[in-house]
Amino acid sequence: MKRIRLRKAVPLLVGCAAMLNPVTYMANPRSNSTSSPLISSLTPFRMPPSGRTFPRLITGDPVIRGATNSDMDPSAKPGDDFYRYANGGWVARTVLPADRQGYDTRAMLTASTRERVHRLIQDAVTTHSAKDSVAQKVGDYYASFMDESSIGSKGLAPLAAEMAAIAAIANKTALSAYLGSTLNHEVDALTSNADHVIGLWVNQGFEDAVHNLPHLWQGGIGLPDRDNYLDTSSTGAELRAKYQAHIAAVLKLAGFADSDPRAARILSLEAHMAGTFAPDSDAADVFKQNNLWKRRDFDVKAPGMDWEAYFKSAGLAKQSDFVVWQPSAIIGVSALAASEAIEEWKDYLRFHLVEHYASVLPEAIKAEHFAFYGMVLTGARQAPKRSEAAIDATNGALGQAVGQLYTHRYFPPEAKAKAQAMVRDLLTAYHARILNLSWMSPQTKGKALAKLAALEIGVGFPDSWIDYSTLNIVRGDAFGNMRRAEAFYHRRDLARLRQPVDPVEWPLDVQVPGAVIMFSPNAEYFSAGILQPPYFDCDGDTASNYGSAGAGMAHEISHSFDELGNTYDARGRLGNWWTDEDRAKFHKEAAKLATQLDAYCPQRDLCVNGKQVLGESIADLAGVLVAHDAYVLSLKGKPDVVIGGLSGEQRFFLAFAQRWRKIQSEAALRKQITTDTHPPGEYRSDTVRNVDGWYKAFNVVPGDRLYIKPEDRVRIW
Ligand SMILES: [Zn+2]
């Protein structure tokens, strides 16, 4: 239910928006979703139809399931407007949902997959599976979360033991021990504010690819951003006043007297914490997060906290090495543990205890939580349905249990095998492309190939799932289930500290359409949720699979070798492996693509900024080039079949163009062009202009609007 804010720049783990909406990927179950203003106007992007017709599907055969004949506009000439040729029918008939600013394949898949997950979970609720089976845990977690009358009847009794522990804090050592008990698995490299004063992420070191280490994060503020506390404008002051009123309301609901002055002191403590947070600009520079601290460094560099008591109750008494992402915040919170009155800390802890568990506490608490985090912070007018929150909570607590149920029904081993075969072709194609790169020195190529060989790619679902057998889920005990799930992940984290680095540990739920690139360790993951029609069809056409999902995967893989990925080596350790000369040549090639992108103007006063979208556009280009090579490899020298009058080459490029279809409001288009690192979908589709095979497939010739002379086509990869 709470606010885990995504980092503005992501150095270590990329939730690439090419496939993944990063907001859908969250290690933590307690994230608030944002809601969009209601806008339903569409933006016409393109020239009117030319009146002529071009190759089209002549039977009802789907090119890929869900992308049929009627999705295309055969009156558009491919060489003039390939996006409309591929998507014109879909764009014309699709209506922007009233509650959205944009709608595309990803949004469609996210909604339909969520519906599937909902049905699966509800089946688990009614089946009454054997105790300790995966289905029992999933069903009982969800049912307990939905059982609001049971939750209401318990009142705040479930918090009693924790409240007593807070009340018993009498000195700094006890305070430190209590704070240590809150250290938990609630952050990852996409997060900037942990739910407690310090957050924990277990991952390999920045320079150590063998051992897992505890990565420690700043956290503990209730407003989303450090700047919310530092903003001196009247808007900033107004937001803080509303937050203070919210704190007071929660304290009052929890039965504490003098809630107003206590709320003011809690806000003041948080403001002190926020003042020590690292600025957002630091998040863009991963080298600033690479701070290896020995256990004794905490006493010397960050005096105040009784660190021995802290780490003992966190289960880390014997841990010698840590990675401190934001030293200023660790130093800051430690100093505050000594300088601020114990009674103020206790009120802070009481308030945040209630907030942390608001989703499994009575209605009045939930309503107050939503009034601030939903209405004030995100402008939402209506709380999400309880069933939606229950799905999120169940996924958050039992992500891989739900994932097992999902893949059992929707992603058979044959689908995984077929996707893995595609990945093998993509890697073979990358190998050949890297060998032929004109801008990369032979020495750097050696490093790139070593990194490619070591790259771990998870497809569909993990080979081995998290073992939940020690997590007891009891129907009717929503609070206890959440507590036990948190303790389960903490025990698991502590165990992982004693285990070697495992690059096959999945960082995303397979039942969520998404992809994640981990630079450290060197691995990428593509969920079963993203590998479904129209991106990927296990029983469908190979050309379309490679043109759609294949190009998406190849896009992501390119990031491991581009300006983002060259910061990490084959084993995910920090250290640039490009030379300055490689970089200069790369930039020179890339500048040509930026010029191409600058010329895309959906409106007279609105043009794409080539520099801003360059990195992602280079990845799009790599994606289609490499996926096309891989498609050719998959044919093993044989000609592809003709389906519905379309050759394999035509289906490949059509599927590529169809993966970018999107409708959005004018406001959303403007926002995308001014702030997003990805250009609008139609221009991503136009990447084909740089691919020789596309000219041949659709007979594109000089004079066509999208035509580029062979010597001016951009390669890079
Ligand atoms: Zn990307």
Side-chain angles (χ1 to χ4, degrees):
M1 287 286 282
K2 225 169 166 183
R3 65 288 141 176
I4 295 295
R5 200 174 63 82
L6 294 175
R7 301 167 71 83
K8 283 177 184 149
V10 180
L12 185 63
L13 182 89
V14 173
C16 193
M19 287 182 126
L20 167 74
N21 176 355
V23 178
T24 62
Y25 164 60
M26 206 84 65
N28 190 282
R30 284 158 281 116
S31 61
N32 268 333
S33 58
T34 53
S35 69
S36 312
L38 307 176
I39 295 179
S40 59
S41 70
L42 299 187
T43 306
F45 289 133
R46 285 282 185 166
M47 309 277 288
S50 66
R52 287 185 286 160
T53 58
F54 297 92
R56 55 177 291 182
L57 279 167
I58 54 175
T59 71
D61 294 334
V63 170
I64 31 183
R65 258 192 281 173
T68 58
N69 194 358
S70 64
D71 286 356
M72 299 169 62
D73 178 355
S75 69
K77 185 180 178 186
D80 281 346
D81 191 343
F82 192 57
Y83 177 78
R84 191 159 60 77
Y85 169 70
N87 299 298
W90 182 86
V91 170
R93 75 164 183 273
T94 304
V95 177
L96 193 59
D99 60 344
R100 302 189 72 102
Q101 294 221 49
Y103 187 73
D104 56 12
T105 302
R106 187 154 39 90
M108 179 194 84
L109 281 185
T110 300
S112 62
T113 307
R114 198 171 166 85
E115 195 47 51
R116 283 176 165 185
V117 168
H118 195 182
R119 281 200 303 272
L120 277 173
I121 293 178
Q122 276 175 326
D123 287 352
V125 170
T126 50
T127 313
H128 295 286
S129 303
K131 174 73 183 160
D132 279 335
S133 65
V134 160
Q136 176 264 319
K137 290 178 202 283
V138 168
D140 286 350
Y141 198 96
Y142 179 90
S144 309
F145 197 92
M146 289 296 289
D147 187 355
E148 293 188 270
S149 75
S150 163
I151 290 172
S153 69
K154 290 176 186 163
L156 295 178
L159 298 180
E162 281 294 294
M163 284 293 184
I166 294 170
I169 295 171
N171 54 42
K172 195 180 77 177
T173 296
L175 172 66
S176 303
Y178 185 85
L179 291 173
S181 74
T182 67
L183 183 70
N184 210 336
H185 178 96
E186 59 191 20
V187 291
D188 54 54
L190 287 170
T191 318
S192 71
N193 173 29
D195 213 20
H196 296 95
V197 292
I198 300 174
L200 172 69
W201 186 47
V202 172
N203 199 53
Q204 76 173 62
F206 282 108
E207 291 161 27
D208 178 352
V210 178
H211 301 98
N212 279 314
L213 292 173
H215 293 246
L216 300 184
W217 242 264
Q218 63 192 13
I221 57 175
L223 288 170
D225 204 329
R226 154 193 193 266
D227 295 345
N228 295 134
Y229 295 85
L230 310 179
D231 179 0
T232 53
S233 72
S234 60
T235 329
E238 202 184 310
L239 179 63
R240 286 191 295 276
K242 285 181 179 165
Y243 178 51
Q244 188 180 315
H246 165 67
I247 300 172
V250 169
L251 289 176
K252 207 168 169 191
L253 284 168
F256 294 99
D258 302 324
S259 56
D260 287 326
R262 290 167 106 163
R265 290 193 294 267
I266 290 170
L267 179 64
S268 159
L269 176 56
E270 288 191 21
H272 283 119
M273 283 182 202
T276 70
F277 270 34
D280 278 334
S281 55
D282 279 10
D285 182 357
V286 68
F287 292 92
K288 287 196 172 149
Q289 283 124 28
N290 177 22
N291 307 292
L292 193 66
W293 283 25
K294 294 281 180 195
R295 166 63 190 85
R296 62 180 173 277
D297 288 335
F298 287 83
D299 302 319
V300 178
K301 293 180 180 173
M305 185 94 76
D306 182 335
W307 288 109
E308 194 180 325
Y310 180 92
F311 285 121
K312 190 174 170 210
S313 70
L316 291 166
K318 293 195 176 117
Q319 182 67 32
S320 60
D321 297 286
F322 299 80
V323 183
V324 176
W325 278 53
Q326 302 92 2
S328 63
I330 300 296
I331 294 165
V333 76
S334 180
L336 288 167
S339 66
E340 299 302 295
I342 293 284
E343 285 311 314
E344 280 168 31
W345 270 109
K346 285 160 79 166
D347 281 343
Y348 165 88
L349 292 169
R350 288 169 177 130
F351 163 66
H352 280 283
L353 178 69
V354 179
E355 287 278 273
H356 184 80
Y357 292 107
S359 65
V360 288
L361 292 174
E363 183 51 38
I365 300 280
K366 280 198 286 282
E368 176 53 38
H369 189 87
F370 175 74
F372 184 72
Y373 284 102
M375 295 168 92
V376 173
L377 276 185
T378 71
R381 277 172 280 186
Q382 223 179 351
K385 278 193 206 152
R386 185 65 180 169
S387 58
E388 295 293 314
I391 295 172
D392 287 341
T394 309
N395 273 334
L398 290 158
Q400 289 206 6
V402 178
Q404 288 176 61
L405 300 177
Y406 180 86
T407 51
H408 185 71
R409 195 178 293 181
Y410 295 111
F411 197 80
E414 306 84 72
K416 179 163 173 157
K418 195 161 182 180
Q420 282 175 321
M422 184 164 75
V423 166
R424 279 194 294 276
D425 287 336
L426 293 170
L427 295 176
T428 306
Y430 258 111
H431 191 275
R433 287 253 165 205
I434 289 171
L435 276 178
N436 287 327
L437 290 179
S438 60
W439 55 270
M440 208 182 252
S441 69
Q443 184 196 2
T444 308
K445 281 182 188 175
K447 289 178 183 166
L449 291 175
K451 185 168 181 181
L452 184 72
L455 177 63
E456 187 72 43
I457 297 195
V459 177
F461 55 89
D463 290 332
S464 60
W465 297 96
I466 291 177
D467 174 4
Y468 290 104
S469 57
T470 59
L471 172 54
N472 188 25
I473 301 298
V474 180
R475 193 171 288 214
D477 187 12
F479 176 86
N481 290 339
M482 183 172 164
R483 287 280 287 184
R484 284 187 292 273
E486 289 176 334
F488 170 82
Y489 285 108
H490 191 57
R491 283 197 305 275
R492 197 165 172 275
D493 272 348
L494 297 182
R496 288 181 61 222
L497 286 172
R498 296 187 296 273
Q499 292 156 2
V501 171
D502 178 8
V504 298
E505 171 91 20
W506 276 59
L508 82 166
D509 287 341
V510 305
Q511 67 276 25
V512 172
V516 164
I517 306 171
M518 290 284 289
F519 291 134
S520 177
N522 177 20
E524 305 195 8
Y525 309 85
F526 301 90
S527 72
I530 198 87
L531 291 170
Q532 57 172 317
Y535 289 139
F536 177 80
D537 185 348
C538 176
D539 306 316
D541 170 39
T542 300
S544 306
N545 282 344
Y546 280 63
S548 189
M553 292 169 125
H555 167 119
E556 307 301 349
I557 293 169
S558 78
H559 283 315
S560 289
F561 303 90
D562 67 8
E563 284 214 282
L564 292 169
N566 92 88
T567 310
Y568 294 88
D569 73 7
R571 302 189 63 198
R573 292 169 300 197
L574 262 187
N576 291 312
W577 48 271
W578 285 8
T579 64
D580 290 344
E581 203 190 344
D582 298 326
R583 196 177 312 278
K585 285 186 177 171
F586 177 85
H587 284 159
K588 203 174 154 205
E589 282 285 309
K592 288 191 233 164
L593 187 61
T595 308
Q596 217 178 79
L597 293 157
D598 281 337
Y600 292 140
C601 302
Q603 287 168 25
R604 214 163 294 156
D605 66 334
L606 187 66
C607 295
V608 169
N609 175 349
K611 255 194 193 143
Q612 176 186 312
V613 298
L614 190 54
E616 291 302 331
S617 300
I618 292 169
D620 284 342
L621 179 57
V624 68
L625 288 169
V626 170
H628 188 259
D629 292 353
Y631 162 61
V632 172
L633 282 170
S634 77
L635 296 174
K636 300 189 168 65
K638 294 186 201 129
D640 202 350
V641 293
V642 172
I643 299 176
L646 292 171
S647 69
E649 289 282 317
Q650 288 172 332
R651 298 193 307 274
F652 173 90
F653 290 111
L654 268 175
F656 178 77
Q658 289 184 336
R659 74 176 270 111
W660 302 122
R661 63 194 186 188
K662 179 171 191 172
I663 52 171
Q664 60 184 338
S665 68
E666 179 166 343
L669 174 71
R670 282 190 178 273
K671 189 173 174 211
Q672 174 171 16
I673 287 192
T674 47
T675 62
D676 204 312
T677 54
H678 304 80
E682 59 171 334
Y683 307 127
R684 304 185 75 175
S685 152
D686 285 348
T687 309
V688 296
R689 301 172 72 195
N690 294 299
V691 186
D692 297 342
W694 174 73
Y695 288 82
K696 222 169 128 192
F698 292 96
N699 192 27
V700 179
V701 292
D704 291 346
R705 278 187 46 233
L706 295 176
Y707 180 85
I708 299 176
K709 283 191 282 183
E711 62 270 29
D712 293 336
R713 293 172 200 163
V714 184
R715 286 284 177 275
I716 307 177
W717 287 100

